[in-house]
Amino acid sequence: MPGFLAFLLNRIGTMLVTMLVISMLVFLIAEVVPIDPARNALGRYASQQKVDELRQKMGLDRPVAVRYVDWISNVLRGDFGESIHFRRPVADLVAVRLERSLTLAALGFAFMIPLGLALGCVAGVNEGKFLDRIISLSASLFVSVPPFASGVFLIVIFSLGLGWLPGVSIPDPDASFFETAKKLILPILALSFDEIGYLARFTRVSMAEVMDSDYIRTAVLKGIPRIKIIWWHALRNALIAPFTAIMLHVNWLIGRVVVVEVLFNYPGLGRLLLDAALRNDIILLEGGTLVLTFVAVSSQVIGDIGIYFMNPRIRLE
């Protein structure tokens, strides 16, 4: 337990330092951008006097260091400021959109992880056989197509061509569960295809290596049934490397969510940040970016904890 506590404190400390550095970078980048939040809030035809009064009210006339300390202090209390465009608290806007983005990402994970692991395990167990070649070829094809391209193909085929599924995913609170689920099918597929291919290839290599190891040969010579060898002896060790890859790809998945949200007009946090960038809403952009960074960094900490318990070599270091 002391070893795990030291491991956990180290990871949390790294996360806090990373968040501090990212917050500084986000704030400084917003300062470098030649956009006046006060002028942007009042419009181009507002008088300079009104702009100067709003700048003073917003505290923009103070030194950068002082404003950063005030901003990060408010963020730690959950106050991200008020959106220039929407005229609503950033925390409220981000909370609603983040819930939708996490829902989409969770559904994508729930679809791609079992399928990718299963395909990789089947291919690894049947290394060099016809089934392995079919799965490997399909996985390579999936990996080579980015989410934006696969999303366009899915819309053209299933929405415009066949008319089976809607090409947009705007939530409707009055819609039935079936209608809501239909709107999410294409975004989930576009989000998952390349990750399924990557995970299948990664798992296939890991499973093939484990099946070729000495202790698996020993189990075979002892007459243990093949299905039992795969399930009880090979699978656990083969999944250590794919689990690491899954957690490392959480950040990539967040980037893909942004692309998919824009493509399917899904009102998540990624779409909100794009709108904030297009409307020069610096305050909303700062708060949303910091929240996305926290999600990405905290997911890595959770992944490290999972790897700690799955891989005994880490516990012995």
Side-chain angles (χ1 to χ4, degrees):
M1 193 63 183
F4 171 70
L5 183 60
F7 176 84
L8 182 61
L9 292 176
N10 179 50
R11 292 298 185 270
I12 292 177
T14 303
M15 182 185 73
L16 294 177
V17 172
T18 302
M19 288 298 303
L20 179 62
V21 173
I22 294 297
S23 69
M24 291 180 180
L25 291 176
V26 169
F27 191 84
L28 290 176
I29 290 173
E31 290 295 319
V32 172
V33 175
I35 296 173
D36 187 350
R39 169 63 69 181
N40 193 43
L42 294 176
R44 67 175 68 181
Y45 299 111
S47 65
Q48 188 60 42
Q49 180 181 357
K50 294 292 185 180
V51 173
D52 293 339
E53 290 176 357
L54 184 58
R55 283 181 57 84
Q56 186 175 6
K57 182 179 179 181
M58 297 173 67
L60 298 175
D61 56 335
R62 297 176 299 165
V64 175
V66 175
R67 284 189 285 121
Y68 170 76
V69 172
D70 287 346
W71 176 68
I72 199 66
S73 300
N74 292 332
V75 166
L76 293 175
R77 293 196 297 268
D79 181 10
F80 291 85
E82 184 176 294
S83 168
I84 297 173
H85 175 75
F86 294 99
R87 303 298 176 88
R88 290 178 56 192
V90 171
D92 294 344
L93 293 170
V94 170
V96 174
R97 298 297 188 95
L98 178 63
E99 181 181 356
R100 293 173 181 168
S101 294
L102 291 179
T103 300
L104 182 61
L107 291 174
F109 251 76
F111 174 71
M112 73 184 186
I113 290 178
L115 186 57
L117 291 176
L119 291 174
C121 288
V122 171
V125 170
N126 296 277
E127 183 182 13
K129 298 180 181 179
F130 178 75
L131 188 58
D132 174 32
R133 292 169 183 166
I134 292 295
I135 294 176
S136 298
L137 180 61
S138 302
S140 299
L141 181 62
F142 285 168
V143 170
S144 63
V145 182
F148 185 83
S150 61
V152 172
F153 292 151
L154 290 170
I155 291 175
V156 171
I157 296 172
F158 293 101
S159 182
L160 300 179
L162 300 175
W164 292 351
L165 299 170
V168 294
S169 300
I170 302 175
D172 183 1
D174 298 326
S176 64
F177 174 80
F178 179 72
E179 291 296 327
T180 302
K182 282 181 63 176
K183 291 182 179 180
L184 292 176
I185 291 176
L186 291 185
I188 291 172
L189 291 177
L191 188 65
S192 306
F193 271 165
D194 58 338
E195 285 294 331
I196 290 174
Y198 178 86
L199 188 58
R201 293 174 63 184
F202 205 93
T203 307
R204 183 253 181 204
V205 173
S206 180
M207 191 62 153
E209 290 179 354
V210 170
M211 292 298 295
D212 196 40
S213 59
D214 293 337
Y215 74 93
I216 294 296
R217 293 197 192 98
T218 302
V220 172
L221 293 175
K222 287 182 177 180
I224 300 176
R226 182 176 175 81
I227 186 64
K228 189 174 182 180
I229 292 174
I230 295 173
W231 187 256
W232 292 106
H233 298 279
L235 194 58
R236 179 179 178 180
N237 291 327
L239 291 182
I240 293 176
F243 181 83
T244 306
I246 290 170
M247 299 315 300
L248 290 176
H249 272 234
V250 169
N251 294 339
W252 292 13
L253 184 67
I254 292 174
R256 289 180 174 90
V257 166
V258 175
V259 174
V260 171
E261 286 178 357
V262 174
L263 180 62
F264 290 94
N265 200 23
Y266 182 80
L269 184 54
R271 180 60 188 267
L272 180 67
L273 292 182
L274 177 63
D275 292 340
L278 294 176
R279 295 185 169 101
N280 298 325
D281 195 336
I282 299 298
I283 298 176
L284 177 56
L285 199 58
E286 289 176 343
T289 302
L290 203 59
V291 170
L292 269 184
T293 303
F294 174 76
V295 172
V297 175
S298 59
S299 67
Q300 295 304 303
V301 174
I302 295 173
D304 290 341
I305 294 174
I307 295 171
Y308 179 89
F309 287 106
M310 289 185 66
N311 193 345
R313 288 177 293 181
I314 296 179
R315 299 197 295 269
L316 295 176
E317 291 180 354

